[in-house]
Amino acid sequence: MLAQVLFMIVNLGIPDLLLSGPRTADDLAANIGPHVHPDRLARILDFAAAVGMVNRKKISGNARKDRKAAATPHANGFATAAAAAAADGCRGADAPASDGAMSQLKVGLLEARSSKTVLAVDPSDQDLAAAGMPSSSSSGRGPLYVYSLSATSACLTSESPVCCADMVKMFEDRSQEFACLSEAMRDGKIPFEVFSGGKLFWQHIAENPSAAKTFDLAMAQINNLGGKAVAAKYPFNKFETVIDVAGGVGGFLREIMIRHKKPCGVLFDQQGQIERAEKLWAHDTIYQPHAHRVQLVAGDVFDVSTIPPPPSSSSGKVAYILRNILHDW
């Protein structure tokens, strides 16, 4: 249940809608789409608030006046949300985690805190008064609440420097295979093989462009959770060549090339990953300026004969990087 609510929040774009400030379920529903039922959304958001995915605050005031004013979203913006969270201490950060997606969000929170990036907003009474929030639901039943970014949901906004939204989408793509864990354990198989009828995950990625795109975006976001800091702080200039083993499409290697001018790079991964990497390094404006220093090599990390040796021109030190890959094996 917890994971499914997290998937829903990301897929409906709720974190970005809350960037402008606290909103009611009615307001959120109207902005998400014509078929979203406000009362149903409110019940799910109440659950999300109970586990720290969003913040919730009961409001009161002149209903007629507030409904009219609520038509205009609160113009706090991300910077004001950040300032409010500093005073609040990012209180949503300690919400319980039930799966990998929530765990990755916690890593994001730690990364954000270490860089002094403030993420969340818990609206004050003054904020709510300025926003002109209504005092009763569209159905007229019970008290009304406004919802705002918590430390967790702030990590899911497009403006967050540690955005984890694509990682959540990847976990959603793979959530059905987790339901096969018991059967896989009994049969000695991998859960994805049970779910797919014998197909390996990497075969699935190679055959499904949409799944491959989601996976690549999620892996790129891992660089937000420590990768950029490692690339910046570690003295890679002491190496002549840096070989990133199972490096995906090369996001981490790109960060090294940007920050260190001496080493050349070798990106090593499976054929499908390298084919997608070739397009990025040839055409993407972030990758292409460093493409002349990077060699792309396809192979199998379990076949030592395919792992690239240092380039023949290399006479200095060589670094082999194995990063964030053991979980796949």
Side-chain angles (χ1 to χ4, degrees):
M1 175 66 178
L2 181 62
Q4 294 301 321
V5 171
L6 179 61
F7 299 153
M8 184 211 76
I9 285 175
V10 170
N11 288 327
L12 296 184
I14 289 174
D16 275 353
L17 289 174
L18 294 178
L19 274 171
S20 59
R23 290 188 169 196
T24 64
D26 291 48
D27 186 27
L28 288 168
N31 280 272
I32 293 169
H35 302 298
V36 179
H37 196 287
D39 285 349
R40 292 179 181 176
L41 180 61
R43 286 195 287 270
I44 297 297
L45 290 175
D46 288 345
F47 173 86
V51 295
M53 289 188 198
V54 295
N55 288 334
R56 187 185 79 159
K57 189 177 184 73
K58 183 179 177 180
I59 59 175
S60 61
N62 184 295
R64 182 176 298 177
K65 176 182 178 182
D66 289 347
R67 275 201 186 89
K68 182 178 180 181
T72 303
H74 187 30
N76 258 346
F78 190 76
T80 304
D88 188 54
C90 291
R91 69 180 184 183
D94 295 325
S98 68
D99 56 22
M102 290 297 290
S103 297
Q104 290 286 4
L105 290 179
K106 284 199 170 187
V107 174
L109 295 173
L110 293 174
E111 180 74 12
R113 285 178 172 180
S114 67
S115 63
K116 297 183 180 179
T117 301
V118 189
L119 295 170
V121 56
D122 183 24
S124 65
D125 292 333
Q126 292 85 349
D127 289 332
L128 298 174
M133 290 298 171
S135 62
S136 60
S137 67
S138 58
S139 65
R141 295 194 304 270
L144 187 68
Y145 297 90
V146 289
Y147 305 90
S148 57
L149 290 174
S150 69
T152 297
S153 52
C155 284
L156 301 172
T157 67
S158 57
E159 294 187 15
S160 171
V162 291
C163 181
C164 302
D166 288 314
M167 282 192 288
V168 171
K169 293 176 182 178
M170 179 190 71
F171 279 107
E172 182 181 22
D173 278 357
R174 303 192 64 178
S175 60
Q176 288 180 299
E177 71 182 86
F178 300 148
C180 301
L181 182 60
S182 297
E183 183 179 350
M185 189 66 67
R186 282 194 295 265
D187 297 342
K189 296 180 179 180
I190 297 172
F192 190 87
E193 291 183 71
V194 176
F195 163 70
S196 65
K199 186 179 294 185
L200 294 174
F201 174 72
W202 299 111
Q203 291 176 278
H204 170 71
I205 288 291
E207 297 170 3
N208 293 271
S210 176
K213 180 179 180 180
T214 299
F215 179 80
D216 289 344
L217 290 171
M219 293 301 100
Q221 287 188 344
I222 287 180
N223 283 323
N224 295 334
L225 307 181
K228 293 181 179 180
V230 172
K233 299 297 183 181
Y234 190 81
F236 284 102
N237 272 326
K238 67 182 181 181
F239 300 106
E240 186 168 326
T241 304
V242 176
I243 302 175
D244 193 355
V245 178
V249 295
F252 183 58
L253 189 61
R254 179 201 67 204
E255 296 296 334
I256 294 174
M257 296 297 105
I258 290 174
R259 292 166 172 78
H260 305 274
K261 305 306 179 184
K262 177 183 174 180
C264 292
V266 177
L267 177 65
F268 175 72
D269 211 312
Q270 298 184 76
Q271 183 65 40
Q273 297 288 97
I274 293 301
E275 289 175 358
R276 297 197 298 277
E278 287 173 344
K279 297 177 182 178
L280 277 176
W281 288 90
H283 304 294
D284 191 277
T285 55
I286 299 177
Y287 287 81
Q288 196 276 332
H290 311 282
H292 65 285
R293 297 168 54 202
V294 175
Q295 178 185 0
L296 308 182
V297 179
D300 182 354
V301 74
F302 295 111
D303 183 351
V304 68
S305 67
T306 67
I307 298 178
S312 57
S313 60
S314 176
S315 58
K317 295 181 179 179
V318 177
Y320 283 85
I321 298 175
L322 289 88
R323 177 177 175 270
N324 286 332
I325 59 175
L326 294 181
H327 64 280
D328 291 329
W329 306 337

